[in-house]
Amino acid sequence: MSSILIIDDTDKYWELCTRFMPEHVFLPPARNYREAEATLAHARDVDLVLLDVHFDISEAELLPEDKSELFARGDPGRVLERLRRGQGLHILDRLRRSHPDLPVIVMTSRDDLPIEADAERLRAQDYTYLLDEEYLDARSLRLQVEGILAQRARPPAIDEPFYWGQTPRMLGIRRRLSILARGRLPIILLGDTGTGKTLLAREFIHPRSQRTGLFVAVDLSTLPHELMAAHLFGVVKGAYTGATASREGVLARAHGGTLFLDEIGNLSLELQKQLLVVLQDGRYTPVGSVEERTCDIKLVVATNENLAAMVQAGRFREDLYMRLNPATAVTLPPLRERGDDFATLLDEFFVRVAREPYNRDLALQYARQRGLQIPEGDAAMPIMVGRSVSARADPRRLLFLIHPSSYKLLREFHWPGNFRQLEMFLSNLVTLTLVELVDQAELVEPGDPSQASRPDVVPILPRMARDLLKPMEPPKPVAAAADADGEGGGGFNMQVSVRPQESLNAVSCDVERQYLERMFDTYGGDLGRIAEVLLGDAGGGRKVQLRMNQLGIKLRKLKRKRGAG
Ligand SMILES: Nc1ncnc2c1ncn2[C@@H]1O[C@H](COP(=O)(O)OP(=O)(O)OP(=O)(O)O)[C@@H](O)[C@H]1O
Ligand SMILES: [Mg+2]
């Protein structure tokens, strides 16, 4: 719930807002600048101001207070009319001086009043044209209000390495994790691969835990089972052959800090029991030792398996699961479900990859070729979606321009590898785009007219984006049976079942047997046709027959089966 002040000479917007945004408190509207200042002086904690532009108010209430100079220059009637039309901007100018940090949305229902430039000059957070269509107006206002309030709710951005975006779902997760981080209870992080579980544990949870010890991460999916116990609990010399020296385990290293166990589902039932004891009384025994040790750790676990289902299947101990505090488990949504955040995240990842030394060097090289003076230290190269760039962009900065159709492609891509994949994709996109431009620039003469247009804008070619996405598309599902003639451009697709055998050779013979039988069926027993498909030689039917004999396929039996079917 936020406190919002509307500055407007009528009740129109106040009524609209109180009706459509009941979750916020709207203070009684201020009718002019003087009332606005009075309200702001008394009501502490106004979060946002909505400011109309056109004010039909008396001469005495209009800014500026002293109009004599204006009157001297023109017809007083006209002067007042102009002041009324743009009164909101005069008010904004004053508010900027008295309340520099107060967010303001400028709004007008008169589309004949261009307010963009003034709103920007006077550092309004946003502006909006309302259409006198109640529902649509309320919707667009609400989106802007929520966007600005969410930004304000964020603590000052200390360049957080974990990008949160703006959606209420993610801001909710952030709030929850800041609280859980400080407590003693374990935290479960769920989410598909590449959704940021490890990053979150290291860069967000641990720093907020107020613990002085180390952050220690262990990926249990990469540890051989037989080494897990020693790795976690430590081992004493001579505990087993190969234990030539005593070694500390990660529990000891994370003492006083945070232990992050990735892919917790890989822990054996026996080790699960030992971990439970650690959580219950902070006690454990190194492998081969008789002496118990104690530790104080904050445990964060992650998995992309369904732990509850593992408990049901008897593969995860219920008592450990309950102890991990499943009621507060946090699920990080996959990239494709990040909805309206996609644009923000794209932006943030883009700036990150463009800053990588390799991409940065290429960008500086390109800038030099085009005669741009990019300050060395300022390498934040943003990305913009659009067909062209307005003339207002800062020409001392490179700006990447992505075509709306390519943006749509990215937005609708399913991103199975989530942020890890997005980051890699964007890094390739920046590199290849710049390499191509740098190479091109070497070929053109200085003064070539094709080089004249906006050297600060780097267009991302739709072809480039498309080509880089293509290899990441999921493989087409294999057809359940051979397609119509069994040999389209994609080859002969079919499903085979792979059964365990005594050797790999036996497995491949079994698979080969299945597909030869299927081909026999598809081509009506015509061995010449099969040879044509497999060897490109219709005369090779004999070879196929021998091979089938070798594999133990009884041709006569197959023929009889065909005859019966
Ligand atoms: N919200 C985010 N903000 C910034 N970077 C992110 C975010 N999420 C993921 N990344 C980046 O994506 C990559 C993968 O993240 P991370 O390793 O944390 O994923 P994960 O969920 O632990 O994946 P896995 O299940 O495969 O271990 C890292 O390079 C990380 O920096
Ligand atoms: Mg991870």
Side-chain angles (χ1 to χ4, degrees):
M1 189 175 74
S2 298
S3 165
I4 300 174
L5 171 64
I6 297 182
I7 310 179
D8 185 12
D9 58 324
T10 71
D11 281 338
K12 192 169 95 184
Y13 294 132
W14 186 81
E15 276 161 11
L16 185 80
C17 290
T18 44
R19 200 143 58 82
F20 284 91
M21 289 184 254
E23 67 276 28
H24 298 302
V25 175
F26 288 89
L27 301 168
R31 305 298 183 197
N32 52 44
Y33 172 66
R34 193 181 38 78
E35 286 187 25
E37 283 294 0
T39 307
L40 288 170
H42 290 110
R44 274 176 295 132
D45 303 332
V46 171
D47 297 295
L48 176 65
V49 166
L50 302 182
L51 173 63
D52 192 15
V53 177
H54 187 268
F55 282 71
D56 217 355
I57 49 180
S58 69
E59 180 184 333
E61 294 170 318
L62 277 173
L63 286 179
E65 288 89 353
D66 179 8
K67 304 170 186 65
S68 52
E69 199 184 317
L70 293 172
F71 286 158
R73 280 194 270 139
D75 167 42
R78 287 260 178 95
V79 168
L80 291 179
E81 169 57 23
R82 250 203 330 275
L83 287 180
R84 290 193 176 104
R85 269 168 62 102
Q87 182 61 197
L89 299 169
H90 287 274
I91 297 178
L92 178 57
D93 188 28
R94 291 289 180 88
L95 287 179
R96 271 297 152 256
R97 283 179 252 164
S98 56
H99 298 85
D101 296 324
L102 186 65
V104 177
I105 299 179
V106 180
M107 48 188 193
T108 180
S109 49
R110 306 190 42 165
D111 55 10
D112 58 332
L113 282 181
I115 54 173
E116 296 92 321
D118 288 314
E120 194 173 88
R121 175 174 58 82
L122 296 168
R123 288 180 294 116
Q125 263 56 34
D126 219 333
Y127 56 83
T128 185
Y129 288 98
L130 300 170
L131 315 163
D132 275 335
E133 284 264 354
E134 257 189 2
Y135 177 72
L136 291 178
D137 287 350
R139 210 174 79 130
S140 77
L141 248 185
R142 185 188 196 139
L143 275 177
Q144 290 181 313
V145 165
E146 293 310 328
I148 289 172
L149 291 177
Q151 264 174 18
R152 217 168 138 77
R154 263 157 62 138
I158 32 169
D159 212 8
E160 257 188 50
F162 190 90
Y163 307 147
W164 290 95
Q166 305 285 332
T167 48
R169 178 176 177 189
M170 288 308 288
L171 295 175
I173 291 182
R174 189 181 189 287
R175 239 185 336 270
R176 168 185 278 202
L177 281 177
S178 334
I179 296 166
L180 291 177
R182 269 177 277 132
R184 298 190 61 81
L185 294 178
I187 299 177
I188 303 181
L189 298 178
L190 304 172
D192 295 348
T193 180
T195 48
K197 301 180 294 293
T198 303
L199 181 71
L200 196 56
R202 176 186 302 116
E203 302 292 344
F204 187 83
I205 298 177
H206 177 64
R208 277 167 186 72
S209 69
Q210 297 169 346
R211 299 174 68 84
T212 50
L214 297 178
F215 173 85
V216 181
V218 181
D219 183 351
L220 295 174
S221 68
T222 58
L223 264 185
H225 275 281
E226 61 280 12
L227 297 184
M228 244 179 229
H231 194 79
L232 290 178
F233 304 114
V235 59
V236 295
K237 186 176 166 181
Y240 51 82
T241 26
T244 50
S246 296
R247 218 162 10 96
E248 252 192 355
V250 289
L251 282 183
R253 276 205 291 137
H255 177 63
T258 305
L259 177 62
F260 176 61
L261 293 181
D262 208 351
E263 294 310 335
I264 181 83
N266 286 7
L267 209 57
S268 69
L269 287 167
E270 177 52 32
L271 292 182
Q272 288 175 26
K273 198 162 96 196
Q274 296 179 36
L275 185 61
L276 178 66
V277 177
V278 172
L279 288 180
Q280 270 165 354
D281 349 301
R283 285 182 297 111
Y284 67 96
T285 314
V287 177
S289 168
V290 286
E291 261 172 63
E292 246 181 23
R293 300 193 44 181
T294 58
C295 68
D296 163 29
I297 53 157
K298 165 103 183 165
L299 185 66
V300 181
V301 306
T303 177
N304 44 43
E305 288 183 281
N306 182 340
L307 280 184
M310 287 182 71
V311 170
Q312 290 250 304
R315 289 193 294 131
F316 204 84
R317 291 181 66 109
E318 188 171 7
D319 45 9
L320 176 61
Y321 178 60
M322 297 321 291
R323 194 82 200 182
L324 289 175
N325 194 13
T328 61
V330 167
T331 305
L332 295 180
L335 175 53
R336 63 182 163 278
E337 284 175 19
R338 294 295 295 273
D340 291 341
D341 267 349
F342 188 84
T344 324
L345 292 166
L346 179 72
D347 233 12
E348 291 182 290
F349 275 97
F350 196 87
V351 169
R352 179 195 282 188
V353 304
R355 267 192 199 146
E356 286 163 6
Y358 183 68
N359 286 331
R360 224 187 90 88
D361 289 351
L362 274 171
L364 290 174
Q365 189 182 349
Y366 167 79
R368 273 195 303 275
Q369 281 176 335
R370 307 293 308 263
L372 293 172
Q373 302 294 319
I374 307 258
E376 281 271 338
D378 178 20
M381 292 175 277
I383 184 167
M384 215 186 91
V385 182
R387 289 163 206 275
S388 63
V389 174
S390 79
R392 262 190 292 131
D394 179 356
R396 283 168 312 132
R397 242 181 181 198
L398 286 187
L399 177 77
F400 285 76
L401 184 67
I402 187 165
H403 194 272
S405 64
S406 303
Y407 174 77
K408 187 161 175 279
L409 213 61
L410 301 194
R411 166 114 202 221
E412 286 167 6
F413 192 66
H414 64 298
W415 299 109
N418 292 295
F419 297 102
R420 186 179 287 121
Q421 191 178 22
L422 176 69
E423 201 173 348
M424 218 152 56
F425 165 82
L426 290 177
S427 184
N428 285 330
L429 191 67
V430 175
T431 308
L432 295 181
T433 297
L434 288 171
V435 165
E436 197 158 294
L437 286 174
V438 164
D439 287 354
Q440 253 172 31
E442 269 167 12
L443 298 177
V444 286
E445 299 290 320
D448 182 322
S450 71
Q451 299 288 291
S453 64
R454 296 301 299 268
D456 56 317
V457 178
V458 181
I460 289 173
L461 300 176
R463 158 178 62 80
M464 191 84 81
R466 234 183 8 249
D467 288 355
L468 282 170
L469 273 190
K470 194 161 276 148
M472 303 194 295
E473 270 161 16
K476 298 266 181 301
V478 174
D483 32 287
D485 66 357
E487 52 178 324
F492 192 91
N493 288 332
M494 70 162 80
Q495 215 168 29
V496 293
S497 38
V498 178
R499 294 169 282 246
Q501 312 274 349
E502 70 278 9
S503 70
L504 288 179
N505 197 23
V507 172
S508 41
C509 286
D510 187 34
V511 168
E512 193 181 346
R513 197 177 299 121
Q514 292 177 52
Y515 87 67
L516 281 177
E517 285 182 1
R518 191 66 145 276
M519 287 193 95
F520 189 87
D521 217 2
T522 305
Y523 293 113
D526 184 345
L527 297 182
R529 258 313 256 137
I530 298 177
E532 196 181 356
V533 172
L534 294 180
L535 304 167
D537 171 17
R542 175 84 184 137
K543 285 187 194 153
V544 175
Q545 187 185 1
L546 286 174
R547 182 72 179 178
M548 290 175 89
N549 282 338
Q550 266 177 355
L551 291 166
I553 299 173
K554 302 276 182 283
L555 281 180
R556 223 175 295 154
K557 212 164 118 192
L558 281 184
K559 277 186 189 143
R560 237 182 287 131
K561 210 168 90 192
R562 278 192 53 77

